[in-house]
Amino acid sequence: MDKKDVIQTAKEFIANSLDNQIKLESNAPHELVGKKIYDPPIFGFCEASEDVFKVLKEPEVIGCHFRNPQEWMPTAQTVISFFLPFSEAVKGSNRDQKIWPSWGWLVGRVEGHKLLRSLLLHLQNSINRAGYATMVPTMDNKFFSITEPIEELCGEPLAFTSNWSERHIAYLCGLGTFGLSKGLITEKGIAGRFGSLVTELKLEPSQRPYEIYNAYCTQCGACIKQCPVKAISIEKGKDHRLCGIFLDKTAQKFKPRYGCGKCQVNVPCESGIPGRNK
């Protein structure tokens, strides 16, 4: 099994899955029913060595609680990361709504996340069948994500963090760099979802076509204007607390769905790298 096999397996799954569409039972507007949630995924690959990932243990990046790939799987050789770009139907619907998330975005956030997890399991099973142990950190019982401040760990107070970050993994795998809103800007833009796997399968690492963490962000400030609760600024970046409070309000208003995504639409990085052909 090689990189082409992994990518093709994922593309076929997303293209053929009946769950990759907005369904009538989601109560979405008629014009959205039947539209795709995701466009085809893009992939990045990274060597699963401690040297590559040790930067994420730095307190100014993630911290000591981050688990590198070989802490999840001692025999790990490769980390596979992918980005699922939201379709134009999902992005366009959210552009049209100025404050609250659109129904298309809500479906993309919730039903789309379920589809992402199905893709992760499909890839895991496919690589396992090829003879290489593979696991998904975010679906492992050792994974944790923290939204409220807790006691210090290794001398570091923890808040709005996790021990495996899809965006940071994607950055190391060459998929993109961080924007002012803390999203990751890829060649297919910032509007979408990330997933990753750790595997024994040895694959050639992708090139990382950047040297600094925010190389693709122009600091244009468009995401600042888009944020309905002013949680983003040039000086401080994104205030996760304010963002989280608004997400909680959307969860109350649209239960069982939630989301926002305003900083990912109506911005130059929505569907590509600013200043480059899409």
Side-chain angles (χ1 to χ4, degrees):
M1 194 171 199
D2 58 19
K3 290 164 69 170
K4 289 182 179 179
D5 295 325
V6 172
I7 294 170
Q8 189 61 29
T9 297
K11 286 186 174 180
E12 288 179 358
F13 182 85
I14 290 298
N16 297 325
S17 175
L18 296 178
D19 291 326
N20 189 28
Q21 58 181 282
I22 299 174
K23 297 180 179 179
L24 182 64
E25 54 264 36
S26 72
N27 295 319
H30 176 74
E31 64 270 16
L32 289 177
V33 174
K35 299 292 187 181
K36 286 187 178 298
I37 297 174
Y38 292 123
D39 286 341
I42 58 174
F43 276 78
F45 303 84
C46 189
E47 181 185 347
S49 71
E50 184 177 350
D51 286 344
V52 172
F53 285 85
K54 65 182 180 181
V55 64
L56 301 188
K57 287 184 177 285
E58 297 294 331
E60 65 272 17
V61 183
I62 295 179
C64 66
H65 58 284
F66 174 80
R67 293 172 63 95
N68 67 46
Q70 293 175 349
E71 289 177 293
W72 294 97
M73 176 186 287
T75 57
Q77 294 289 324
T78 305
V79 175
I80 301 170
S81 177
F82 62 81
F83 177 65
L84 280 167
F86 280 132
S87 69
E88 174 56 29
V90 170
K91 293 183 293 188
S93 70
N94 210 32
R95 287 196 298 267
D96 293 340
Q97 298 289 332
K98 301 306 179 186
I99 302 296
W100 295 106
S102 70
W103 207 256
W105 191 272
L106 291 167
V107 171
R109 180 64 183 85
V110 176
E111 280 87 339
H113 183 67
K114 293 177 182 177
L115 177 58
L116 183 152
R117 289 171 68 89
S118 295
L119 172 58
L120 284 166
L121 290 175
H122 182 69
L123 286 171
Q124 180 185 19
N125 291 335
S126 296
I127 301 172
N128 282 345
R129 286 195 300 269
Y132 303 93
T134 304
M135 59 87 64
V136 180
T138 56
M139 298 175 71
D140 188 85
N141 59 16
K142 294 185 292 293
F143 173 75
F144 66 76
S145 178
I146 298 167
T147 56
E148 296 295 333
I150 65 169
E151 294 180 4
E152 293 186 356
L153 180 66
C154 302
E156 304 166 17
L158 296 185
F160 303 103
T161 187
S162 63
N163 59 353
W164 184 260
S165 167
E166 298 290 15
R167 291 170 299 126
H168 288 83
I169 301 307
Y171 170 83
L172 290 178
C173 286
L175 277 177
T177 75
F178 288 87
L180 191 62
S181 66
K182 304 303 183 186
L184 203 77
I185 303 169
T186 76
E187 65 182 46
K188 294 296 182 179
I190 198 170
R193 304 286 293 165
F194 291 93
S196 61
L197 307 94
V198 175
T199 179
E200 288 180 333
L201 176 61
K202 190 172 180 60
L203 298 168
E204 181 182 356
S206 303
Q207 289 187 332
R208 204 183 303 161
Y210 40 77
E211 295 183 358
I212 57 174
Y213 75 98
N214 61 352
Y216 295 162
C217 181
T218 64
Q219 303 282 299
C220 69
C223 58
I224 297 174
K225 299 175 183 177
Q226 281 291 107
C227 180
V229 291
K230 303 187 186 303
I232 307 170
S233 68
I234 290 288
E235 297 76 20
K236 296 182 180 180
K238 182 178 180 180
D239 185 325
H240 292 290
R241 184 186 62 84
L242 288 177
C243 178
I245 290 171
F246 184 69
L247 284 176
D248 288 343
K249 290 181 179 179
T250 70
Q252 294 170 8
K253 184 178 177 67
F254 299 105
K255 187 177 181 179
R257 298 183 177 86
Y258 72 99
C260 177
K262 296 306 178 185
C263 60
Q264 297 181 25
V265 296
N266 276 325
V267 292
C269 57
E270 176 185 307
S271 300
I273 299 170
R276 301 189 187 184
N277 293 328
K278 298 176 183 177

